[in-house]
Amino acid sequence: MNEPPPAAPARILALDPGDARIGVAVSDELGMLAHPRPAIPGRDRAAALRAIADIVAAEGVREIIVGLPLSLSGERGPQARAVEAFVADLRQAVAVPVRTADERLTSAQASRQAPSAARRRDGTLDSLAAALLLQAELDARRGAA
């Protein structure tokens, strides 16, 4: 009657793509907390996609959530269309599901939470925004369970 131990939940990766950098956050193994990681330089798309694929492999990621910057009215503007093109490329680069989530106001919220990060240009704010997006998703999933 020895049953195999339950498999550890896989992690979820959240990305907040911008023109210069891609914010990165990864969930813990329990799917409870989002942890910001160093941002990925975003100007070289091929290099960024390789870096993301490396994170997926190294962290045991089972799903990727990409922040979609909709306008306040919910419309898709030029930034949202650029992110959708990035998502299309990302889906070709990884073997896990990739979906988008409305990320309106996460950057503003990140700036309020870490005002000193807003002045730096090292990707800290981008990754904090990705963590806020991921934490909202994790909280919503726990609430639905």
Side-chain angles (χ1 to χ4, degrees):
M1 298 275 176
N2 287 343
E3 292 185 33
R11 296 175 187 245
I12 300 172
L13 173 66
L15 303 173
D16 182 31
D19 293 331
R21 290 168 299 281
I22 301 168
V24 178
V26 178
S27 71
D28 63 0
E29 297 88 358
L30 299 176
M32 302 280 290
L33 298 173
H35 300 281
R37 298 291 171 84
I40 297 169
R43 297 209 188 276
D44 180 343
R45 171 103 24 119
L49 293 172
R50 282 192 303 274
I52 294 165
D54 289 346
I55 293 169
V56 168
E59 299 279 353
V61 170
R62 73 161 186 248
E63 177 183 4
I64 300 173
I65 300 169
V66 181
L68 187 62
L70 301 174
S71 70
L72 290 178
S73 66
E75 299 294 317
R76 283 175 163 75
Q79 283 185 305
R81 287 191 289 276
V83 168
E84 288 171 330
F86 169 76
V87 167
D89 291 344
L90 181 58
R91 285 182 174 136
Q92 297 298 313
V94 297
V96 299
V98 178
R99 66 180 190 81
T100 60
D102 182 355
E103 62 94 32
R104 282 180 277 186
L105 307 178
T106 56
S107 294
Q109 185 180 0
S111 293
R112 283 193 307 277
Q113 284 189 6
S116 63
R119 291 188 293 276
R120 299 192 331 232
R121 296 286 174 222
D122 64 354
T124 300
L125 190 66
D126 304 284
S127 289
L128 181 53
L132 290 169
L133 174 71
L134 180 54
Q135 190 64 55
E137 178 67 24
L138 295 172
D139 293 347
R141 288 181 183 194
R142 273 197 316 278

